[in-house]
Amino acid sequence: MKRLNRLMLALAAVCLLAAPALADTLKVGVQAPITGSYANEGQGIDNGVRLLAEQINAKGGVLGKKIEVITCDDQGTAMAAAICAKDLVNQGVKMVIGSYTSTCAEAAQKTYFDAGVIQTSDGTADSLTEKGYWTFLRNSFPNSAEAEFAANYMVKVKKYKRIVIISDFSTYADGLANATEAAVKKLGGNVVSRDKIKADSQNFTPVLTRIKAKNPDVIFFAGYYTDGGQLRAQQVALGIKADFIGGDANDNPDFAKLAGSAAKGAYIVNVPSPDVLPYDIAKSFIAAYKKKYGIMPASIWGLMNIDGMRAIIHGMEQTKSFDTKKVVEYLKNMKEPLPGITGPIAFAEDGNRKGGSYVVKMIQADGSYKHVYVQ
């Protein structure tokens, strides 16, 4: 009995010693769609964050603290995103990586702002940086920049005369479609129809039948890949000869899977793909990702979120502080951009990432991309 008591006392002592170490971690939240329609993007973000945390911890952590990753599945819905935000804040995170969609990022923004938690997201909706929340850092580029590029490509490069623009009702898609319509008209282009679909409805024949009567040269789709692939397949099935250009959220391997043979010849507008990123740091991280998970990152979006996390940690190391206000102020006033996986990283005063370059990719018969136009 005495021996058992000594063992229990020893275990208790170990727990007491271990408790301060666990409490002394740097908690990093991941808010992403781990399940639901955008699960492969969310899982890609979570995988990337955990890999980066593992690499940093192996070198001693951040200012002597090991990173502890806490993941919350927002399922790609605003309601779950709002719950995730409260849960992650209650668990004491200093930063949150995500979410994938603008709608979910926006639903959580106010909670992170009130708690002084830094949030970095690939969400492209312009509205994300219009509320003045100092805690928000966009690691991608805003809809307005993509809209100007896409409009120039359609009006000036391809010289389409009859343009159709479709979106769903989400913050991201509606914002990108509206910005693209305005940019096309600014260049003197002709938008013959502006339509909306209900995301995940799967049957887009009624909208496409109306569009067919407009005899378009091109359909620009500003929604997500889960609908984009099916929209393209149904467009071809209905005999609509127009080109198809998908906005950045169509840049996912599942677009080609959903579109089937109709994917061939479709265009996607986005920043360069992971496999063509020229930076040494990109090649190194992607190689480590493939070694750990046996697959390529799902798309560029996960890597942009990793760059957001890298930037915040860089800010902590440079300021030698976990004070989130100091870190954000440092990141918005860096004299030189931080070399990133997806290119140089620097932030403007409103939280937008500076710079940005876009490409147009054409989907080949095997689902791979061919870059056909570079900004």
Side-chain angles (χ1 to χ4, degrees):
M1 187 65 182
K2 287 182 179 178
R3 186 177 179 182
L4 179 60
N5 286 339
R6 283 199 298 272
L7 178 60
M8 292 178 68
L9 286 171
L11 286 171
V14 169
C15 290
L16 286 172
L17 288 172
L22 185 63
D24 204 27
T25 57
L26 170 61
K27 294 182 178 180
V28 174
V30 174
Q31 182 202 315
I34 306 302
T35 61
S37 298
Y38 313 124
N40 74 343
E41 291 285 3
Q43 291 165 11
I45 293 171
D46 191 48
N47 285 345
V49 168
R50 290 180 181 278
L51 173 58
L52 182 60
E54 186 178 292
Q55 292 175 336
I56 293 172
N57 285 343
K59 296 177 181 176
V62 182
L63 303 178
K65 290 188 176 185
K66 294 294 180 68
I67 295 174
E68 178 186 353
V69 179
I70 303 171
T71 301
C72 187
D73 178 9
D74 68 22
Q75 304 167 35
T77 69
M79 183 179 292
I83 294 170
C84 273
K86 291 179 181 176
D87 182 51
L88 291 171
V89 166
N90 287 338
Q91 293 198 58
V93 299
K94 282 286 185 182
M95 70 179 87
V96 170
I97 317 303
S99 183
Y100 166 65
T101 68
S102 295
T103 297
C104 289
E106 196 158 24
Q109 263 189 316
K110 180 69 162 53
T111 300
Y112 297 137
F113 170 69
D114 288 343
V117 170
I118 306 174
Q119 178 189 18
T120 181
S121 167
D122 62 76
T124 59
D126 287 83
S127 58
L128 287 168
T129 52
E130 292 174 348
K131 299 182 183 69
Y133 295 150
W134 63 266
T135 46
F136 183 80
L137 298 173
R138 192 199 307 275
N139 54 55
S140 64
F141 306 100
N143 280 344
S144 50
E146 180 183 343
E148 289 180 8
F149 173 82
N152 182 71
Y153 182 70
M154 290 191 286
V155 177
K156 298 296 185 182
V157 179
K158 297 293 285 187
K159 302 188 184 304
Y160 296 126
K161 302 298 183 187
R162 302 179 64 80
I163 299 170
V164 167
I165 297 175
I166 305 175
S167 72
D168 60 35
F169 291 87
S170 68
T171 304
Y172 153 74
D174 195 42
L176 177 58
N178 290 340
T180 303
E181 181 180 14
V184 167
K185 290 179 177 177
K186 187 178 177 181
L187 292 173
N190 180 28
V191 177
V192 296
S193 185
R194 166 73 169 90
D195 296 272
K196 293 187 180 184
I197 59 169
K198 184 179 179 182
D200 296 327
S201 58
Q202 300 190 346
N203 180 12
F204 307 118
T205 302
V207 171
L208 288 168
T209 300
R210 285 200 308 274
I211 288 172
K212 187 175 184 179
K214 302 285 185 180
N215 192 29
D217 298 323
V218 64
I219 295 172
F220 179 80
F221 177 57
Y224 290 89
Y225 64 93
T226 44
D227 295 316
Q230 297 184 71
L231 189 70
R232 170 63 174 171
Q234 292 170 32
Q235 173 208 334
V236 172
L238 286 171
I240 302 174
K241 303 295 185 184
D243 284 348
F244 180 98
I245 299 178
D248 54 14
N250 290 274
D251 190 356
N252 185 287
D254 281 358
F255 176 95
K257 293 176 184 174
L258 291 165
S261 60
K264 181 184 176 183
Y267 299 99
I268 305 291
V269 172
N270 200 1
V271 295
S273 305
D275 58 327
V276 298
L277 291 172
Y279 315 104
D280 289 342
I281 190 172
K283 293 173 182 174
S284 171
F285 188 82
I286 290 170
Y289 189 102
K290 288 173 67 179
K291 182 179 180 181
K292 183 175 179 64
Y293 300 111
I295 53 174
M296 279 285 287
S299 70
I300 195 71
W301 303 115
L303 298 176
M304 286 192 159
N305 280 288
I306 299 310
D307 268 347
M309 178 177 169
R310 289 180 61 254
I312 297 168
I313 289 171
H314 175 72
M316 289 177 169
E317 290 172 337
Q318 292 300 305
T319 59
K320 301 186 186 316
S321 172
F322 294 109
D323 182 326
T324 53
K325 190 81 174 180
K326 283 185 181 177
V327 171
V328 170
E329 285 178 1
Y330 170 82
L331 291 173
K332 291 179 177 177
N333 292 282
M334 288 191 300
K335 292 181 179 177
E336 296 291 335
L338 175 69
I341 296 169
T342 58
I345 312 167
F347 296 98
E349 184 58 34
D350 62 0
N352 270 316
R353 181 173 173 176
K354 294 180 180 177
S357 62
Y358 290 91
V359 299
V360 178
K361 315 165 189 181
M362 178 188 283
I363 299 178
Q364 307 300 292
D366 62 358
S368 63
Y369 291 138
K370 178 182 179 182
H371 289 64
V372 295
Y373 183 74
V374 180
Q375 187 176 38

